[in-house]
Amino acid sequence: MKSLLSSYVSRLGKSRVFWLCAAAMAALAVRRGAAEFRVFGQPLMDRWSLTLFGDVQYQLPCILAIFAALFLGGEYTGGAVRNKLIVGRARWGVYCSALLTVSAVAVSLALLYTGVTAGLCRLAHGPMPDPSQVPVYLAAVLLVCVAWSALFTAVGLNCTRPAVSVVVCLAVVGVTFVACARFFAADIILHNNGPETALSRFFYNLLPIGQGNQLRIIGANNLSDPPETLMPYSALFIALTTAAGLTLFRRKNLK
């Protein structure tokens, strides 16, 4: 596992896709943070929470999907996956090392975004009034990033064509966004109880888009559960997606 991770990390440092994605994330963070200099008269706590957690859940999945699809697809086009298996590497080791690498990139991009926006928001508005809630929210956000990583790794390692992987990953993001916005969230708002609402709440909490929607603003409302309540759902999504992706990868014919 250690050698597999080393090979991924070594390739990561030379990856143009990674550095372009990091640059794009930094540019989006600067744009988000700079917008705070033009905002006045709104509650300071709302401005901080929106800046730190508001936009990243829409931007990061698309950027991460492109990175994961192209980076993992490069393992096929260059023959790296097949070579690792020929020398005796276990398929679960190849899969888990890829998942850890993509997850590390996702967390790094999220922290880059948060750091830049936090710095600019502090310059615009001064210190955050109550930073005590930030650690648990940030932990929940980073766990959502790992959930996206698990999904995109499952797609990327089971699709040998990077372009197809990009389309599939972005399509999944779009479908889950529509499902959460048009069906699950709408059902929760319209109905206060009942088995259908409970099922909608479960899927809304389970899917990374639904979790991200609830983490946008610090403080709960009728559509938001606390971050510590959402984290077990993220862990469940990671476990289910990884199990499905690894099962397909172990059965995949790479000859």
Side-chain angles (χ1 to χ4, degrees):
M1 177 70 79
K2 185 177 180 180
S3 60
L4 286 170
L5 280 173
S6 298
S7 67
Y8 275 116
V9 172
S10 175
R11 183 165 163 253
L12 184 64
K14 304 173 185 176
S15 172
R16 294 182 180 178
V17 175
F18 168 69
W19 293 111
L20 287 173
C21 289
M25 207 67 192
L28 291 170
V30 169
R31 180 185 177 186
R32 168 71 260 188
E36 292 304 306
F37 288 90
R38 302 189 296 271
V39 175
F40 302 97
Q42 295 186 15
L44 184 54
M45 195 65 181
D46 288 350
R47 299 313 309 167
W48 266 99
S49 59
L50 181 62
T51 300
L52 293 180
F53 309 118
D55 291 340
V56 68
Q57 68 118 354
Y58 297 122
Q59 299 162 343
L60 180 61
C62 295
I63 291 177
L64 186 63
I66 294 171
F67 164 78
L70 296 180
F71 183 78
L72 297 177
E75 292 284 285
Y76 283 108
T77 56
V81 170
R82 187 169 180 273
N83 292 337
K84 289 172 183 176
L85 297 178
I86 288 176
V87 299
R89 303 295 185 188
R91 292 201 180 205
W92 70 266
V94 173
Y95 190 96
C96 291
S97 58
L99 173 58
L100 289 174
T101 303
V102 176
S103 298
V105 170
V107 169
S108 299
L109 293 178
L111 291 176
L112 172 64
Y113 182 95
T114 300
V116 173
T117 55
L120 292 173
C121 193
R122 183 181 177 88
L123 288 175
H125 303 301
M128 190 175 189
D130 181 16
S132 61
Q133 299 180 70
V134 171
V136 66
Y137 269 84
L138 186 58
V141 168
L142 295 181
L143 199 55
V144 171
C145 294
V146 177
W148 282 121
S149 301
L151 176 61
F152 298 148
T153 300
V155 175
L157 278 183
N158 285 290
C159 185
T160 58
R161 296 183 179 182
V164 176
S165 293
V166 171
V167 173
V168 172
C169 288
L170 292 178
V172 170
V173 173
V175 169
T176 55
F177 176 82
V178 172
C180 285
R182 292 290 185 90
F183 300 105
F184 302 140
D187 188 64
I188 294 169
I189 293 172
L190 294 174
H191 306 92
N192 293 325
N193 48 43
E196 292 183 1
T197 302
L199 188 62
S200 294
R201 170 66 72 177
F202 173 78
F203 283 110
Y204 193 64
N205 287 347
L206 181 67
L207 295 174
I209 280 286
Q211 296 169 26
N213 283 336
Q214 297 178 73
L215 292 170
R216 293 188 67 209
I217 300 293
I218 291 179
N221 53 45
N222 65 326
L223 197 58
S224 298
D225 286 336
E228 58 271 17
T229 304
L230 294 173
M231 285 191 268
Y233 287 96
S234 296
L236 176 60
F237 183 88
I238 293 167
L240 292 174
T241 308
T242 301
L246 181 56
T247 299
L248 292 174
F249 183 68
R250 293 181 70 174
R251 296 178 179 179
K252 190 174 184 62
N253 184 359
L254 298 175
K255 296 181 180 180

